PDB file of all heavy atoms in Angstrom:
ATOM      1  N   GLN H 297      96.698   8.597 124.443  1.00 40.00           N
ATOM      2  CA  GLN H 297      95.363   8.242 123.932  1.00 40.00           C
ATOM      3  C   GLN H 297      94.691   7.055 124.602  1.00 40.00           C
ATOM      4  O   GLN H 297      93.648   7.169 125.168  1.00 40.00           O
ATOM      5  CB  GLN H 297      95.439   7.988 122.431  1.00 40.00           C
ATOM      6  CG  GLN H 297      94.117   7.555 121.818  1.00 40.00           C
ATOM      7  CD  GLN H 297      93.120   8.634 121.841  1.00 40.00           C
ATOM      8  OE1 GLN H 297      93.375   9.735 121.421  1.00 40.00           O
ATOM      9  NE2 GLN H 297      91.958   8.372 122.344  1.00 40.00           N
ATOM     10  N   LEU H 298      95.204   5.856 124.468  1.00 46.00           N
ATOM     11  CA  LEU H 298      94.645   4.698 125.132  1.00 46.00           C
ATOM     12  C   LEU H 298      95.771   4.007 125.871  1.00 46.00           C
ATOM     13  O   LEU H 298      96.885   3.923 125.373  1.00 46.00           O
ATOM     14  CB  LEU H 298      94.049   3.714 124.114  1.00 46.00           C
ATOM     15  CG  LEU H 298      92.612   3.946 123.684  1.00 46.00           C
ATOM     16  CD1 LEU H 298      92.303   3.045 122.489  1.00 46.00           C
ATOM     17  CD2 LEU H 298      91.625   3.655 124.795  1.00 46.00           C
ATOM     18  N   ARG H 299      95.480   3.497 127.026  1.00 43.00           N
ATOM     19  CA  ARG H 299      96.545   2.889 127.806  1.00 43.00           C
ATOM     20  C   ARG H 299      97.200   1.738 127.060  1.00 43.00           C
ATOM     21  O   ARG H 299      98.334   1.406 127.313  1.00 43.00           O
ATOM     22  CB  ARG H 299      95.981   2.410 129.140  1.00 43.00           C
ATOM     23  CG  ARG H 299      95.654   3.574 130.055  1.00 43.00           C
ATOM     24  CD  ARG H 299      95.408   3.109 131.484  1.00 43.00           C
ATOM     25  NE  ARG H 299      95.159   4.249 132.336  1.00 43.00           N
ATOM     26  CZ  ARG H 299      94.047   4.443 132.993  1.00 43.00           C
ATOM     27  NH1 ARG H 299      93.061   3.601 132.905  1.00 43.00           N
ATOM     28  NH2 ARG H 299      93.897   5.503 133.768  1.00 43.00           N
ATOM     29  N   SER H 300      96.473   1.111 126.149  1.00 38.00           N
ATOM     30  CA  SER H 300      97.051  -0.007 125.414  1.00 38.00           C
ATOM     31  C   SER H 300      97.647   0.412 124.085  1.00 38.00           C
ATOM     32  O   SER H 300      98.099  -0.430 123.323  1.00 38.00           O
ATOM     33  CB  SER H 300      95.966  -1.057 125.157  1.00 38.00           C
ATOM     34  OG  SER H 300      94.930  -0.488 124.398  1.00 38.00           O
ATOM     35  N   SER H 301      97.652   1.719 123.774  1.00 34.00           N
ATOM     36  CA  SER H 301      98.103   2.189 122.469  1.00 34.00           C
ATOM     37  C   SER H 301      99.315   3.091 122.599  1.00 34.00           C
ATOM     38  O   SER H 301      99.493   3.771 123.603  1.00 34.00           O
ATOM     39  CB  SER H 301      96.981   2.977 121.782  1.00 34.00           C
ATOM     40  OG  SER H 301      95.818   2.196 121.691  1.00 34.00           O
ATOM     41  N   PRO H 302     100.181   3.137 121.563  1.00 33.00           N
ATOM     42  CA  PRO H 302     101.318   4.064 121.596  1.00 33.00           C
ATOM     43  C   PRO H 302     100.862   5.497 121.550  1.00 33.00           C
ATOM     44  O   PRO H 302      99.855   5.825 120.944  1.00 33.00           O
ATOM     45  CB  PRO H 302     102.100   3.685 120.332  1.00 33.00           C
ATOM     46  CG  PRO H 302     101.097   3.032 119.443  1.00 33.00           C
ATOM     47  CD  PRO H 302     100.132   2.334 120.350  1.00 33.00           C
ATOM     48  N   ARG H 303     101.612   6.361 122.196  1.00 31.00           N
ATOM     49  CA  ARG H 303     101.261   7.762 122.265  1.00 31.00           C
ATOM     50  C   ARG H 303     101.687   8.489 121.000  1.00 31.00           C
ATOM     51  O   ARG H 303     102.775   8.284 120.499  1.00 31.00           O
ATOM     52  CB  ARG H 303     101.947   8.391 123.482  1.00 31.00           C
ATOM     53  CG  ARG H 303     101.578   9.845 123.705  1.00 31.00           C
ATOM     54  CD  ARG H 303     102.350  10.391 124.879  1.00 31.00           C
ATOM     55  NE  ARG H 303     101.976  11.755 125.168  1.00 31.00           N
ATOM     56  CZ  ARG H 303     102.638  12.523 126.008  1.00 31.00           C
ATOM     57  NH1 ARG H 303     103.681  12.072 126.643  1.00 31.00           N
ATOM     58  NH2 ARG H 303     102.248  13.763 126.224  1.00 31.00           N
ATOM     59  N   LYS H 304     100.788   9.336 120.474  1.00 34.00           N
ATOM     60  CA  LYS H 304     101.113  10.165 119.321  1.00 34.00           C
ATOM     61  C   LYS H 304     100.794  11.607 119.665  1.00 34.00           C
ATOM     62  O   LYS H 304      99.699  11.901 120.116  1.00 34.00           O
ATOM     63  CB  LYS H 304     100.297   9.739 118.097  1.00 34.00           C
ATOM     64  CG  LYS H 304     100.599   8.323 117.641  1.00 34.00           C
ATOM     65  CD  LYS H 304      99.763   7.966 116.425  1.00 34.00           C
ATOM     66  CE  LYS H 304     100.048   6.545 115.968  1.00 34.00           C
ATOM     67  NZ  LYS H 304      99.226   6.173 114.805  1.00 34.00           N
ATOM     68  N   ARG H 305     101.732  12.502 119.429  1.00 34.00           N
ATOM     69  CA  ARG H 305     101.529  13.904 119.755  1.00 34.00           C
ATOM     70  C   ARG H 305     101.514  14.716 118.483  1.00 34.00           C
ATOM     71  O   ARG H 305     102.306  14.519 117.586  1.00 34.00           O
ATOM     72  CB  ARG H 305     102.638  14.416 120.675  1.00 34.00           C
ATOM     73  CG  ARG H 305     102.623  13.754 122.043  1.00 34.00           C
ATOM     74  CD  ARG H 305     103.740  14.287 122.893  1.00 34.00           C
ATOM     75  NE  ARG H 305     103.589  15.703 123.180  1.00 34.00           N
ATOM     76  CZ  ARG H 305     102.920  16.180 124.205  1.00 34.00           C
ATOM     77  NH1 ARG H 305     102.302  15.365 125.010  1.00 34.00           N
ATOM     78  NH2 ARG H 305     102.843  17.472 124.399  1.00 34.00           N
ATOM     79  N   GLY H 306     100.570  15.646 118.401  1.00 37.00           N
ATOM     80  CA  GLY H 306     100.479  16.532 117.252  1.00 37.00           C
ATOM     81  C   GLY H 306     101.491  17.650 117.371  1.00 37.00           C
ATOM     82  O   GLY H 306     102.142  17.835 118.400  1.00 37.00           O
ATOM     83  N   PRO H 307     101.627  18.450 116.328  1.00 37.00           N
ATOM     84  CA  PRO H 307     102.613  19.532 116.343  1.00 37.00           C
ATOM     85  C   PRO H 307     102.290  20.603 117.367  1.00 37.00           C
ATOM     86  O   PRO H 307     103.156  21.374 117.744  1.00 37.00           O
ATOM     87  CB  PRO H 307     102.538  20.080 114.911  1.00 37.00           C
ATOM     88  CG  PRO H 307     101.183  19.680 114.433  1.00 37.00           C
ATOM     89  CD  PRO H 307     100.905  18.358 115.064  1.00 37.00           C
TER      90      PRO H 307
END
Side-chain angles (χ1 to χ4, degrees):
Q297 178 68 51
L298 274 169
R299 288 193 178 119
S300 60
S301 304
R303 184 183 183 191
K304 297 180 181 179
R305 294 179 64 88

